[in-house]
Amino acid sequence: MGRFGRAVMPVLLLLTVFCGPCSAETVTSADRVERILRSLSLEAKAGQVLMGFFRGDSVTPPLRSMIGRVRPAGMILYSSTGNIGSPEQVADLTRSLQEAAVSAGGLPLFLAVDQEGGRVNRLTRGVTVFPGNMPLGAAGDPELASKAARVTARELRILGINANFAPVADVLTNPFNPVIGTRSFGSDPALVDRMATAMIAPAAEEGVLCVAKHFPGHGNTSVDSHFGLPVDDSPLETLEKVHLAPFAALVKAGVPAIMTAHVAMPGIDRGNPLPATLLPKSYEILREEMGFSGLTVTDSLGMKALDRYWSIEETAVLALQAGADLLVLGADPGHEPEELEKIHRALVIAVQTDRISRSRLDEAVRRVLRAKETLKVLDDPMPKTERMGELTSPESLALAETIARRALTVVWNRLGPFPAAEADKPKILLWPLEKAGQVSSLLADSAGMKPLFVSLSLRPEDFEGILEGIEGEEAVYVWAGDLGKSPAWKELAQRIGGRTVLLAVGSPASLSLCPGAGAAVATYSETPVSLKVLGDFLRAPWSPTGKLPVALPEL
């Protein structure tokens, strides 16, 4: 028996002792959930509404001890905290985490990541990396969204990850939104509805909790909730027709979990300035108006939208009081994994002092347990290492490339036939020095492009030398990833003028800052597959079918 097989046996034995037999003949899922709920102490229940984070790529003795004391509902994995390396390492880690939880007398864990595709991918090695949501919106085909969600969920589950904080269901009405951007499918609520709902069933069928976010909508904000409290002052009618609409559709389609946003929306509760995560009215809208019966999950409680106003312990108490079921402590700057124990103690005290009713805590724990039972986390939490060969299958990689090709959009072209990169007439590719590593995906083996690397922090006095170097060029390919954050680069693109061919490998909002460019192409993504497809197009242009999925000013 291999290493993974040996580890599974004691865990399964413990599960049998703790949860009892679970065949359809002896007990229903609902009965089983109630039986587990009744068996839990107050301290164990408080743990089952918490999800924490940790540092490192293995289960250390301090982490094992913390898991035993708190007995959390789950843990969230990040690449930034060193949790994620190779697929083999991730599978070994998830196995160890589950073993640590159950060996300490707790329940199997939800192990979560943010694997949205595009610019938010916690796993990038040995898995299929998709272009992301806005490319799917540009392609406009819900079937592609469904297929991408299935592959992502399948690969996560093979590695032992059973919860994905995706899809993003925010409607991007502010194209310069600093935190959502290409994470959104677009600015049309009907498009967001079609794409997001297509992702629900595939995730469930592959055994992964689909957590749609960020309710009641983060698409019309101008502040990143990681750094401050965003406010959307839209009237209730606009909120209902635009930002709430995709979530209502997701609820109707059976989404099992929804993540709340740390966004203030005074319009939904008679001017109440509280962020939605702490606002009882936001949960009332979900439960009573939309009929949602699933799991509500908070965005990370350590984000500055909350952290500037409340302690982490008070934030957790307020969120559970308001109606949140699963409270997430993520790897936010200034916070440490050990704070999960402080939150745990605060919740226990809040129940003992009647700040939080026992019925509210039971309600939250019941929903966590129901979600685990539905996805078979209670019985089968281990990674599927025998299926590792399914990762990055030729079919999955081909799907990612198909999405990238279908997403590619020529936003405008005033240069006649699109200027191709030809070996006998190579085009200059103006690209940020800080992103030079991306160019290999774009260039392939082509002799048709001559990269010229320039720093994003170039100085105005550098302009003349650069402009002299491209003098006489009929067309110049110019990176346009995020010109709003790179004013000097934006000015350089503007000074090249009508010869500029903008390459929007990020938010297409950058295109509106250079309306005088001769042409503009959008991939909406700088993933390797999107850059490869862009390179293919520049070398041999075709008639792309992608459509701009977001309304842009000046265009």
Side-chain angles (χ1 to χ4, degrees):
M1 186 179 291
R3 173 168 52 95
F4 289 102
R6 288 195 299 271
V8 169
M9 292 308 296
V11 173
L12 290 179
L13 289 171
L14 281 164
L15 283 174
T16 301
V17 171
F18 190 91
C19 299
C22 57
S23 67
E25 292 81 6
T26 58
V27 63
T28 67
S29 292
D31 289 339
R32 187 186 190 199
V33 165
E34 291 303 316
R35 188 172 64 189
I36 296 173
L37 180 63
R38 288 193 299 269
S39 74
L40 298 177
S41 66
L42 170 59
E43 290 76 13
K45 289 177 180 178
Q48 281 302 297
V49 298
L50 295 177
M51 177 176 282
F53 77 101
F54 62 99
R55 304 189 193 283
D57 61 1
S58 62
V59 175
T60 61
L63 174 58
R64 185 180 295 274
S65 179
M66 186 275 287
I67 290 174
R69 289 191 298 272
V70 176
R71 285 180 279 179
M75 303 297 288
I76 180 170
L77 277 58
Y78 295 93
S79 53
S80 62
T81 56
N83 303 150
I84 296 170
S86 69
E88 293 77 14
Q89 173 269 319
V90 172
D92 193 32
L93 175 61
T94 59
R95 173 196 58 79
S96 298
L97 287 166
Q98 296 291 8
E99 185 181 27
V102 179
S103 296
L107 293 167
L109 301 166
F110 271 133
L111 297 178
V113 290
D114 297 275
Q115 193 76 359
E116 301 171 10
R119 62 185 258 203
V120 178
N121 282 299
R122 305 306 184 204
L123 294 94
T124 56
R125 291 173 56 188
V127 297
T128 306
V129 177
F130 287 99
N133 284 353
M134 191 166 284
L136 285 167
D141 185 351
E143 184 63 22
L144 291 177
S146 176
K147 290 179 178 179
R150 182 175 299 282
V151 171
T152 298
R154 179 182 301 145
E155 295 189 344
L156 290 178
R157 185 63 191 87
I158 288 171
L159 297 177
I161 296 167
N162 51 31
N164 189 15
F165 291 163
V168 172
D170 301 308
V171 181
L172 190 68
T173 52
N174 173 13
F176 292 98
N177 188 308
V179 65
I180 302 301
T182 57
R183 298 168 67 193
S184 169
F185 294 105
S187 60
D188 178 4
L191 173 67
V192 175
D193 165 348
R194 292 194 302 274
M195 294 296 164
T197 55
M199 294 182 156
I200 298 173
E205 290 163 7
E206 297 294 337
V208 172
L209 184 71
C210 167
V211 185
K213 59 190 183 185
H214 309 81
F215 181 85
H218 208 321
N220 192 38
T221 59
S222 56
V223 172
D224 184 341
S225 49
H226 292 87
F227 306 117
L229 177 60
V231 178
D232 184 346
D233 286 317
S234 301
L236 180 59
E237 181 181 9
T238 300
L239 296 175
E240 289 178 337
K241 288 183 177 179
V242 179
H243 299 287
L244 293 173
F247 291 99
L250 282 160
V251 170
K252 187 175 180 180
V255 69
I258 290 177
M259 177 178 285
T260 59
H262 307 329
V263 175
M265 283 187 174
I268 68 174
D269 191 23
R270 297 171 295 181
N272 195 318
L274 279 175
T277 296
L278 307 183
L279 183 67
K281 181 66 176 180
S282 61
Y283 300 95
E284 179 184 321
I285 291 171
L286 266 177
R287 301 293 185 196
E288 299 181 17
E289 297 182 21
M290 294 184 180
F292 180 59
S293 60
L295 187 66
T296 53
V297 182
T298 71
D299 209 341
S300 178
L301 299 181
M303 293 163 62
K304 294 302 180 186
L306 305 181
D307 205 38
R308 288 184 175 181
Y309 306 99
W310 299 275
S311 70
I312 195 75
E313 298 95 330
E314 182 67 8
T315 295
V317 170
L318 292 174
L320 192 61
Q321 282 180 333
D325 300 319
L326 183 57
L327 315 177
V328 179
L329 173 65
D332 301 301
H335 289 279
E336 294 300 325
E338 294 75 21
E339 291 177 74
L340 195 68
E341 294 193 66
K342 295 181 181 180
I343 297 172
H344 182 253
R345 287 195 296 272
L347 294 181
V348 171
I349 292 170
V351 174
Q352 291 172 334
T353 57
D354 295 326
R355 285 193 70 194
I356 296 173
S357 69
R358 289 180 183 266
S359 62
R360 169 80 271 267
L361 178 60
D362 282 357
E363 177 184 59
V365 175
R366 183 178 289 112
R367 291 190 183 120
V368 171
L369 295 176
R370 188 186 302 150
K372 288 184 175 182
E373 168 71 4
T374 299
L375 291 167
K376 304 187 186 306
V377 174
L378 296 176
D379 298 305
D380 185 21
M382 291 300 181
K384 308 295 185 183
T385 52
E386 72 279 4
R387 297 174 55 193
M388 295 283 272
E390 296 178 35
L391 302 178
T392 61
S393 70
E395 295 80 9
S396 298
L397 297 177
L399 174 62
E401 184 164 339
T402 295
I403 293 169
R405 287 181 66 89
R406 294 273 299 276
L408 192 76
T409 307
V410 174
V411 183
W412 74 79
N413 176 25
R414 307 183 188 109
L415 299 175
F418 195 91
E422 301 170 337
D424 57 342
K425 293 182 180 180
K427 298 290 187 297
I428 287 179
L429 173 68
L430 200 58
W431 204 261
L433 178 63
E434 295 83 348
K435 295 176 178 287
Q438 298 175 337
V439 170
S440 60
S441 298
L442 181 62
L443 294 181
D445 298 321
S446 173
M449 283 180 266
K450 299 183 295 184
L452 175 60
F453 296 112
V454 176
S455 175
L456 286 169
S457 57
L458 77 161
R459 300 164 300 178
E461 53 264 35
D462 298 326
F463 286 0
E464 293 308 318
I466 296 169
L467 294 172
E468 287 177 10
I470 61 176
E471 187 174 354
E473 297 288 336
E474 295 179 359
V476 179
Y477 301 146
V478 180
W479 174 89
D482 193 346
L483 298 182
K485 294 181 180 178
S486 308
W489 192 277
K490 177 187 71 174
E491 184 180 346
L492 177 61
Q494 291 171 337
R495 290 186 62 174
I496 297 172
R499 298 179 295 155
T500 302
V501 178
L502 295 172
L503 306 179
V505 295
S507 170
S510 292
L511 302 180
S512 65
L513 302 176
C514 294
V521 181
T523 66
Y524 316 97
S525 172
E526 56 182 17
T527 55
V529 69
S530 294
L531 294 177
K532 174 194 177 299
V533 167
L534 175 60
D536 291 344
F537 172 76
L538 295 178
R539 287 185 289 273
W542 63 84
S543 297
T545 58
K547 294 182 180 179
L548 192 67
V550 60
L552 296 179
E554 310 299 331
L555 294 182

